[in-house]
C-alpha cells in the first residue's frame, strides 16, 4: 500500500504530482455530463482513440463510451506511479476503464508510444483477436514534443515558434504565491528546419500511417470514418498558433484529411475529416504564449456559455454516427468552434486583451475558473474530493487481464452499430 495525502505543488503550470481521487471524480463528472445514449440500432461500433487520456482525446473516449456505446481501444503514453504519483492521465485512464466496465463497454487501454509500429502491431492484433477484425471509427488526438520515424529512426522535435519574425505578445503567468501577472514575452522565429520538424511530429504523417497500417491488415470496416482533432483559434493568438510552426502542422493535418477522405471514399465508402475544436484549458495549451491569457479572457466574456470539451466531443460523435448531419466547412472540417469565433465574442475578447494589465486582469478574465481548470488537469480543485484524506497512489494499469473481455450477455443490451453519414 502507498497511501498518502497529496498536496498540489507546482512550478507555474507544471504540477509535480497528481491526485488519483480527483482524477477519478473528474472522469465520473464528465461521464455524467454526457446525454443519454441515442436509440439502439444494432451492434456496438468498434473505435480506436489515439491520445485517449487527456484533453479532447479523453473527452472523445468518454463521449464515445457513454453516448455511442463504443467498444474498442484507447492508446496513450502515461507515466506509472513510482517515487512520485503517476501522471494524471494514468489515473484518468484507470477511472475510465472502470466506468466502461461498469456500463458494459468492452474497452482496452494500451500505454506506449503511439508513433511506433510496435504499438500499431499491438492494436492490430487486439482488433483481430478481440474485436472481430474490424474497426469502425478512429479518433486521432495526439500532441507530443517529439516523434521517432519508425522507418529511419530519425527523431523529430516540435517547436512553438512564429514564422518570419520575432513575436512579442501578452501572456499570463502566476507568481510563486499564485498572484496573476500580465507580461510581454518575445519568441524568436522559426529557423532552419523548425517547420519541417514540427510538421513531422504534429502533422498528418502518423495519422495516415495508422490508417495505412490497419488497412493493410484488412481491419477497416465498410463505412470506416476517422477524425483528427485540431484547433484554429482566434486572430489574437494566430501569430504564435495558426500562422506559426504549429499552424503549419495543422495545415498538413488538414491536407492529409483530404487525401485520406478521397482514398477511404473510393475503397470503403468511408470518410476522413479534421475536427476544429474550440478553446479549452489543456496541458498542451498552457505551454503556448498568450493562450492562457486568451482563454481566461474568453471565459470572462462568455462565462458558463463556454462549451466544455466533453460537450464538444458529444457533438463530434453525433455527426459521423448519423445522429446529426455531417456539417463541414469549405475545407472539409467539422466546426465545433463557431461559438468561440463568433465575431461579437471575438470583438469583446479583443477589447479586453487590449486593456489587460496586471492591475486590470482580475476584472477582465475569470482567473478563479482558469486556475481551477489548471489544477483539475492534475486532479485538484475537483468538487466532492476530500484532499485532507490519504489516497492510494500505487494504482495498477487497467490491462485486458484486469478487465477481461465481456461475455455477450454482460455487454450493454441492444447496443448500436452506427455508420458514417
Amino acid at each position: 500500500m502507498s497511501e498518502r495525502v497529496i498536496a498540489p505543488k507546482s512550478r507555474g503550470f507544471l504540477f509535480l504530482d497528481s491526485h488519483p481521487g480527483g482524477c477519478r471524480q473528474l472522469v465520473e463528472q464528465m461521464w455524467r455530463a454526457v446525454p443519454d445514449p441515442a436509440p439502439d440500432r444494432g451492434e456496438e461500433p468498434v473505435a480506436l482513440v489515439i491520445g485517449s487520456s487527456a484533453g479532447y482525446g479523453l473527452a472523445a473516449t468518454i463521449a464515445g463510451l457513454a453516448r455511442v456505446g463504443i467498444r474498442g481501444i484507447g492508446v496513450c503514453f502515461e507515466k506509472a506511479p513510482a517515487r512520485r504519483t503517476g501522471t494524471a492521465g494514468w489515473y484518468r485512464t484507470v477511472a475510465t476503464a472502470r466506468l466502461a466496465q461498469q456500463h458494459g463497454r468492452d474497452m482496452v487501454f494500451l500505454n506506449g508510444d503511439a508513433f511506433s509500429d510496435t504499438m500499431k502491431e499491438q492494436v492490430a492484433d487486439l482488433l483481430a483477436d478481440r474485436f472481430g477484425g474490424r474497426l469502425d471509427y478512429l479518433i486521432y488526438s495526439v500532441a507530443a514534443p517529439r516523434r521517432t520515424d519508425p522507418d529511419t529512426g530519425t527523431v523529430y522535435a516540435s517547436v512553438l515558434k512564429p514564422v518570419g519574425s520575432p513575436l512579442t505578445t501578452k501572456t499570463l503567468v502566476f507568481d510563486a504565491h499564485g498572484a496573476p501577472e500580465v507580461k510581454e514575452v518575445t519568441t524568436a522565429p522559426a529557423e532552419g528546419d523548425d517547420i519541417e520538424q514540427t510538421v513531422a511530429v504534429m502533422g498528418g504523417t502518423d495519422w495516415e500511417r495508422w490508417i495505412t497500417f490497419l488497412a493493410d491488415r484488412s481491419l477497416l470496416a465498410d463505412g470506416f470514418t476517422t477524425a483528427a482533432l485540431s484547433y484554429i483559434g482566434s486572430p489574437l493568438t494566430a501569430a504564435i498558433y495558426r500562422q506559426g510552426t504549429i499552424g503549419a502542422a495543422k495545415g498538413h493535418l488538414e491536407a492529409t484529411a483530404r487525401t485520406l477522405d478521397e482514398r477511404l471514399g473510393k475503397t470503403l465508402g468511408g470518410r476522413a475529416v479534421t475536427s476544429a475544436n474550440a478553446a479549452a484549458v489543456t496541458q498542451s495549451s498552457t505551454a503556448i504564449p498568450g493562450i492562457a491569457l486568451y482563454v481566461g479572457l474568453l471565459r470572462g466574456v462568455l462565462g458558463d456559455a463556454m462549451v466544455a470539451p466533453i460537450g464538444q466531443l458529444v457533438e463530434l460523435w453525433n455527426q459521423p454516427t448519423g445522429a446529426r448531419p455531417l456539417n463541414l466547412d469549405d475545407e472539409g472540417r467539422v466546426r465545433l468552434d463557431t461559438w468561440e469565433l463568433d465575431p461579437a465574442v471575438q470583438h469583446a475578447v479583443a477589447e479586453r486583451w487590449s486593456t489587460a494589465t496586471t492591475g486590470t486582469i482580475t476584472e477582465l478574465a475569470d482567473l478563479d475558473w482558469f486556475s481551477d481548470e489548471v489544477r483539475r488537469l492534475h486532479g485538484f480543485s475537483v468538487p466532492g474530493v476530500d484532499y485532507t484524506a490519504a489516497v492510494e497512489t500505487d494504482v495498477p494499469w487497467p490491462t485486458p487481464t484486469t478487465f477481461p473481455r465481456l461475455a455477450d450477455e454482460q455487454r450493454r443490451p441492444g447496443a448500436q452499430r452506427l455508420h458514417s453519414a
Side-chain angles (χ1 to χ4, degrees):
M1 298 292 289
S2 52
E3 289 189 353
R4 61 187 178 94
V5 175
I6 305 171
K9 297 179 181 178
S10 64
R11 297 170 184 161
F13 295 134
L14 177 63
F15 279 66
L16 305 180
D17 285 309
S18 56
H19 196 284
C23 292
R24 181 179 64 251
Q25 181 79 344
L26 182 66
V27 166
E28 291 174 355
Q29 289 175 0
M30 291 175 69
W31 190 294
R32 290 194 296 270
V34 177
D36 291 337
D40 294 332
R41 286 185 277 177
E43 188 180 359
E44 309 111 311
V46 178
L48 168 63
V49 182
I50 304 170
S52 60
S53 62
Y56 298 118
L58 174 67
T61 305
I62 294 172
L65 288 165
R67 172 70 172 167
V68 181
I70 62 170
R71 57 194 176 105
I73 303 167
V75 175
C76 54
F77 199 11
E78 298 296 344
K79 187 177 179 181
R83 185 175 65 87
R84 292 198 176 278
T85 68
T87 52
W90 180 280
Y91 298 124
R92 288 190 295 257
T93 300
V94 172
T96 305
R98 291 190 181 280
L99 277 175
Q101 179 78 1
Q102 290 167 12
H103 288 83
R105 275 63 157 173
D106 189 8
M107 196 76 183
V108 176
F109 292 93
L110 300 177
N111 190 29
D113 181 5
F115 295 136
S116 72
D117 282 354
T118 299
M119 179 57 73
K120 293 175 177 65
E121 288 280 5
Q122 284 185 262
V123 168
D125 289 345
L126 261 175
L127 288 172
D129 298 340
R130 185 169 178 134
F131 296 104
R134 71 130 210 284
L135 181 67
D136 297 297
Y137 299 105
L138 188 155
I139 304 294
Y140 190 86
S141 179
V142 177
R146 61 189 58 85
R147 168 178 170 262
T148 300
D149 187 309
D151 291 329
T152 66
T154 303
V155 178
Y156 298 101
S158 61
V159 295
L160 292 165
K161 292 183 177 181
V163 173
S165 59
L167 171 68
T168 299
T169 186
K170 289 180 177 181
T171 196
L172 175 66
V173 297
F174 292 87
D175 66 20
H177 304 288
E181 180 182 1
V182 176
K183 57 192 301 185
E184 286 193 340
V185 295
T186 299
T187 306
E191 57 185 6
D193 63 350
D194 281 347
I195 295 174
E196 291 78 8
Q197 293 250 347
T198 304
V199 169
V201 179
M202 299 289 288
T205 301
D206 183 62
W207 181 31
E208 185 172 17
R209 190 180 185 94
W210 270 101
I211 303 303
T212 300
F213 194 96
L214 298 174
D216 288 347
R217 292 279 295 266
S218 300
L219 292 168
L220 303 184
D222 289 342
F224 169 79
T225 298
T226 183
L229 308 188
S230 187
Y231 181 65
I232 295 173
S234 167
L236 293 168
T237 59
I240 192 65
Y241 196 87
R242 192 64 195 190
Q243 296 166 8
T245 54
I246 293 296
K250 297 301 183 184
H252 185 272
L253 191 73
E254 291 164 6
T256 301
R258 291 189 287 271
T259 299
L260 286 173
D261 189 57
E262 182 178 3
R263 171 180 156 192
L264 292 171
K266 290 178 179 178
T267 57
L268 297 168
R271 296 301 307 262
V273 298
T274 52
S275 170
N277 293 79
V281 180
T282 66
Q283 286 167 263
S284 56
S285 70
T286 55
I288 304 173
I291 294 292
L293 175 61
Y294 168 75
V295 175
L297 293 171
L298 180 67
R299 175 72 183 192
V301 169
L302 287 174
D304 290 338
M306 282 188 71
V307 182
I310 192 66
Q312 296 178 41
L313 269 298
V314 165
E315 177 57 27
L316 178 61
W317 276 111
N318 281 341
Q319 293 194 28
T321 58
R324 291 195 184 137
L326 195 60
N327 185 17
L328 305 178
D329 68 9
D330 293 340
E331 300 296 323
R333 302 172 296 204
V334 177
R335 297 302 295 268
L336 304 178
D337 59 352
T338 52
W339 57 268
E340 175 192 349
L341 299 185
D342 178 274
V345 171
Q346 285 298 308
H347 178 73
V349 176
E351 284 191 329
R352 295 185 182 214
W353 178 286
S354 67
T355 58
T357 65
T358 300
T360 63
I361 188 60
T362 56
E363 302 168 7
L364 300 174
D366 190 342
L367 296 187
D368 289 339
W369 170 86
F370 180 84
S371 297
D372 281 345
E373 284 294 289
V374 172
R375 291 158 69 92
R376 279 191 279 270
L377 294 175
H378 305 273
F380 299 103
S381 293
V382 179
V385 178
D386 181 2
Y387 290 101
T388 66
V391 64
E392 176 62 45
T393 62
D394 191 12
V395 181
W397 186 260
T399 65
T401 303
T402 308
F403 296 124
R405 181 175 181 174
L406 295 171
D408 288 343
E409 62 270 16
Q410 292 176 292
R411 283 157 52 183
R412 186 170 63 90
Q416 56 193 333
R417 182 179 182 185
L418 305 176
H419 293 281
S420 57

